[in-house]
Amino acid sequence: MKVNWAGVMPAVTTKFTAQDELDLQMFKVNINAQLKAGVTGIILGGTLGEASTLTDDEKRILVEETVRIVNGKVPVIINIAEQSTKGGVDAAAKAKKYGANGLMMLPPMRYKSTDKETVQYFNSIANSTDLPIMIYNNPVDYKIEVTLDMFEELLSKNSNIEAVKESTRDISNVTRMRNRFGNRLRILCGVDTLALESMVAGADGWVAGLVCAFPQETVAICNLIKVGRLEEALKIYRWFMPLLELDISPQLVQNIKLAEVGTGLGTEYVRAPRLPLHGDERLRVQQIIDTGLKTRPTLPEYKGLVKC
């Protein structure tokens, strides 16, 4: 299946049971809610998916189960976040074997690679697979920036590097990328609190986090922007902002899983060393979620507005 890097692609959470096993029943509930809302792809094993805590077998199960659930409706993409080039090449091969349609790729984990090393890392993995790739550019959290010059080299050598998850927090970077690469590089915003601004600036879509709990509202914002109905999108976005800010936190996984509980699309279980929210912080986050649920907007019809 061809990956069209546009629209809303949820970076889904990994559902666990109280016994710390995969909760595939609740996972299916959430994936079906995403599909019903009109998302354009499913991304597994990102930061929200607690990728660093998953075993290889759990990653296999998640990919295979997602492929089964979506049944060809949207592409299934898995994140690669490895410490070595060898590990990245192996992960890409396994992703294809399990049925994934595309890859999202972070720079090397733990080691802060130089620009040359980072480019070579991406080149080696891209050369090892024919799966389409979205580079995850998040220097704020992962300390390595993929600059425009680095993208220039990567795009010239790898036709399967097709998109970027733009998480530099610099909105003007969308314009710089569009000016330099045109449509050769598809751009998806990777920061929930900058999504509307990024798409107005020309981003093709949104790799979203709070979509895990609020899929309809997320897709509605994206689709309304795409057809120029900015005032309607802004009204929803302004309601959404306190919830979206739960994504820009070290505890984003716990925050978003608690929001999923509020909308019936998940459970609170996280994998240690993470622990569920507690104390004053839990009360603060729960109040934000409760307020959002009480004031949840009535959405206009949005599904037929645009075909991403």
Side-chain angles (χ1 to χ4, degrees):
M1 173 183 286
K2 177 177 172 57
V3 179
N4 182 20
W5 304 100
V8 172
M9 293 187 172
V12 297
T13 58
T14 300
K15 310 299 186 289
F16 297 113
T17 67
Q19 292 73 41
D20 197 32
E21 297 174 347
L22 293 179
D23 185 347
L24 296 179
Q25 181 177 355
M26 185 54 76
F27 183 75
K28 181 178 180 181
V29 168
N30 193 285
I31 297 297
N32 281 332
Q34 304 299 326
L35 296 174
K36 184 177 180 181
V39 302
T40 54
I42 301 291
I43 298 177
L44 305 168
T47 306
L48 265 179
E50 299 175 74
S52 62
T53 72
L54 299 175
T55 67
D56 284 346
D57 196 49
E58 286 173 330
K59 291 177 183 178
R60 174 187 63 79
I61 291 168
L62 286 171
V63 173
E64 292 178 347
E65 183 69 5
T66 307
V67 169
R68 185 188 68 78
I69 295 168
V70 305
N71 193 28
K73 296 182 181 73
V74 299
V76 176
I77 297 145
I78 188 164
N79 184 49
I80 290 182
E82 298 293 330
Q83 298 182 53
S84 69
T85 301
K86 181 178 180 180
V89 169
D90 183 59
K94 287 177 179 176
K96 182 167 184 178
K97 178 181 177 181
Y98 302 154
N101 306 111
L103 306 172
M104 182 170 77
M105 285 177 48
L106 278 161
M109 295 288 96
R110 297 192 181 180
Y111 173 63
K112 190 178 185 301
S113 53
T114 66
D115 289 1
K116 181 177 180 179
E117 289 170 332
T118 302
V119 168
Q120 185 56 52
Y121 174 82
F122 285 135
N123 278 336
S124 296
I125 299 173
N127 288 337
S128 75
T129 182
D130 60 0
L131 290 177
I133 293 167
M134 174 169 64
I135 300 295
Y136 185 0
N137 191 20
N138 186 348
V140 175
D141 292 322
Y142 295 105
K143 312 308 177 187
I144 296 172
E145 180 172 4
V146 186
T147 66
L148 267 64
D149 286 345
M150 293 163 73
F151 272 114
E152 183 85 54
E153 183 174 352
L154 288 168
L155 295 174
S156 70
K157 294 180 179 178
N158 304 283
S159 61
N160 58 335
I161 295 180
E162 299 178 350
V164 57
K165 179 181 175 183
E166 168 52 32
S167 300
T168 62
R169 275 65 161 180
D170 182 354
I171 293 293
S172 62
N173 219 29
V174 174
T175 300
R176 292 189 187 97
M177 288 179 168
R178 190 64 75 213
N179 285 346
R180 187 152 177 181
F181 304 119
N183 290 324
R184 169 65 181 86
L185 184 69
R186 307 301 295 276
I187 305 167
L188 287 88
C189 176
V191 182
D192 274 2
T193 54
L194 299 176
L196 181 143
E197 295 86 349
S198 295
M199 285 187 284
V200 169
D204 299 287
W206 180 1
V207 176
L210 265 296
V211 68
C212 295
F214 296 93
Q216 292 180 320
E217 289 85 353
T218 308
V219 178
I221 290 168
C222 181
N223 287 4
L224 289 166
I225 294 168
K226 291 288 187 181
V227 297
R229 290 164 59 177
L230 185 57
E231 284 300 321
E232 291 172 272
L234 268 171
K235 183 177 179 181
I236 305 167
Y237 191 60
R238 286 168 178 160
W239 159 83
F240 212 178
M241 185 56 68
L243 290 157
L244 295 177
E245 288 176 333
L246 298 177
D247 184 56
I248 50 172
S249 161
Q251 285 72 47
L252 77 164
V253 176
Q254 292 95 319
N255 293 345
I256 291 174
K257 284 194 168 184
L258 190 58
E260 288 178 315
V261 172
T263 57
L265 297 180
T267 68
E268 245 193 295
Y269 300 119
V270 289
R271 176 161 282 174
R274 286 185 178 90
L275 297 173
L277 297 175
H278 64 280
D280 290 344
E281 181 62 9
R282 180 186 179 88
L283 292 174
R284 184 189 74 83
V285 172
Q286 188 65 63
Q287 184 176 29
I288 292 169
I289 295 166
D290 290 344
T291 300
L293 290 171
K294 289 175 184 175
T295 59
R296 204 168 183 176
T298 299
L299 301 176
E301 177 51 52
Y302 68 87
K303 291 184 184 178
L305 295 180
V306 62
K307 185 174 177 60
C308 290

